[in-house]
Amino acid sequence: MKHRVLVLGAGYAGTYVAGNLARRLSPEDTEIHVVNAEPDFAERLRLHQVAAGQEIETQKLADIFAGTGIRLHLARVTAVDPERQVVAVTGADGATELGYDTLLYALGSHGEDHGVPGVAEHAFDVAARPSALRLRERLDGLPRGGNVLVVGDGLTGIESATEIAESRPGLSVTLVARGELGARLSAAARRHLRLACERLGITVVEHTTVDAVEATRVRCADGTALASDATVWAAGFAVGPIAAAAGLAVTETGRILVDRTMRSLSHPNVYAAGDSVHAIGDNGLPLPMSCATAGFTGMQALQAIMGRLTGSKVGHVKLAYLGNHISLGRRDGILQPVDREGRATPRHFGGRKAARIKEAILRTARWTSWHPTFRLPKRKRHLTAAPQASAAHATPYAPDAPAGRAVA
């Protein structure tokens, strides 16, 4: 039987690794499968733009993988059983199991509610395209002067607040910060951010913790209440419980523990990349959840899988956190470099130039994600040993399933 590589999640990391493996490994002894809940590639770095009402081009995963031989399963992962080497999924055709010999876990993250009452029922987020579209629909229905409250002043909160304020000047936007606005930025970058909020008419509420979200307001820890017709929850991200429930070695927050090559510490045929992985950077500190981290960890996982399957040397990819790129609407931005300890350096870049650089980064990330096999060598490499038989309990794959169709 062919060696089955199963990729869970088709975000920045999963799409890159799947496309590269499909181009480099011979289909005579290897097959690549990808599981993703949505049919489109989610350009997560632009979801705040989607929510604000901008038309952002999308691409079908079936088109991205066309001609690669990758088999795409449109389904939601519900469980992983690393002992049997199967993954339980639920799609349009119901529930089934998919077997694997090598697994790449790249399911990403979702918005973290921190246990605050009312977030699930009343708040919106931009962690996924469906939720961003729900927020957009809500904003479309608000009257002029309607109150939009963004909770969280991390990168997602800042970008969401400024994008909504610029795209919808008829709405009143408030940004709630747990501490000082832009606390992780340099002093000069914080001043730039504050001036941008003033220019866009954003009300900033600092040193405030939200204790509950209600339909028309949020209640704060100090007893005050802030009116809100649409509450955008951007107070952080978390991974799902699937890896921990599977018995994989994980951190307290559920991120998968790996070695330097992104290989699971507990299960050697499982790799992880993107937000799902707890990867230690070259500076000895955990890499943050970000698109850049997805790129670095995806490249490292690819090197490891390719090397071990083909008997070649496993190369080491640079694992670095270089800084933050923050858009402040379409015509302003901040580029904040960091030092080896992840602390903001005194110098930053701001204004239109920073916005143009951020846009170039977004366009590059999009293009490379939509063309995962571009300029890769056409040589197909064989495995060095007889492929390991997949788990006997797994439901067989249809031999000619086209990309874009879930199969059992």
Side-chain angles (χ1 to χ4, degrees), residues 89-128:
V89 301
T90 300
D93 298 328
T96 189
E97 288 184 334
L98 306 175
Y100 67 85
D101 298 303
T102 298
L103 180 72
L104 175 69
Y105 191 108
L107 289 179
S109 61
H110 57 80
E112 170 62 88
D113 63 13
H114 298 289
V116 175
V119 172
E121 296 83 0
H122 303 298
F124 299 85
D125 66 64
V126 293

Side-chain angles (χ1 to χ4, degrees), residues 39-281:
D40 299 327
F41 177 83
E43 197 176 357
R44 193 165 183 178
L45 295 177
R46 291 189 186 273
L47 290 181
H48 60 285
Q49 294 179 246
V50 173
Q54 298 168 29
E55 293 301 326
I56 305 298
E57 183 183 3
T58 61
Q59 184 77 296
K60 296 289 184 185
L61 289 170
D63 294 333
I64 291 175
F65 294 141
T68 65
I70 292 172
R71 305 183 188 185
L72 175 62
H73 305 262
L74 297 180
R76 188 172 300 279
V77 176
T78 57
V80 174
D81 186 340
E83 308 310 321
R84 295 172 53 226
Q85 294 183 204
V86 296
V87 175
V89 301
T90 300
D93 298 328
T96 189
E97 288 184 334
L98 306 175
Y100 67 85
D101 298 303
T102 298
L103 180 72
L104 175 69
Y105 191 108
L107 289 179
S109 61
H110 57 80
E112 170 62 88
D113 63 13
H114 298 289
V116 175
V119 172
E121 296 83 0
H122 303 298
F124 299 85
D125 66 64
V126 293
R129 184 172 175 82
S131 57
L133 289 173
R134 287 194 294 272
L135 172 57
R136 177 178 181 167
E137 182 179 6
R138 175 63 173 170
L139 297 178
D140 286 342
L142 295 183
R144 185 174 185 81
N147 295 310
V148 179
L149 195 68
V150 180
V151 180
D153 69 323
L155 305 189
T156 301
I158 292 171
E159 292 191 329
S160 298
T162 53
E163 204 73 55
I164 293 171
E166 182 179 87
S167 297
R168 300 173 181 265
L171 298 178
S172 176
V173 179
T174 298
L175 177 59
V176 179
R178 189 179 184 92
E180 180 184 3
L181 177 65
R184 295 184 180 179
L185 302 175
S186 64
R190 289 197 300 273
R191 287 194 296 271
H192 186 104
L193 172 59
R194 194 173 297 277
L195 289 173
C197 288
E198 292 175 2
R199 172 176 56 81
L200 293 169
I202 298 171
T203 300
V204 177
V205 180
E206 298 176 284
H207 306 288
T208 299
T209 300
V210 171
D211 274 357
V213 178
E214 299 176 356
T216 59
R217 66 176 187 172
V218 300
R219 289 190 285 109
C220 304
D222 61 5
T224 61
L226 300 172
S228 177
D229 299 307
T231 299
V232 184
W233 192 260
F237 295 93
V239 299
I242 292 176
L248 297 175
V250 298
T251 65
E252 291 182 357
T253 58
R255 299 175 77 185
I256 298 175
L257 292 168
V258 295
D259 64 14
R260 180 57 176 75
T261 68
M262 302 303 120
R263 192 181 202 176
S264 166
L265 294 182
S266 59
H267 294 79
N269 63 341
V270 175
Y271 297 80
D275 287 354
S276 302
V277 67
H278 179 79
I280 304 301

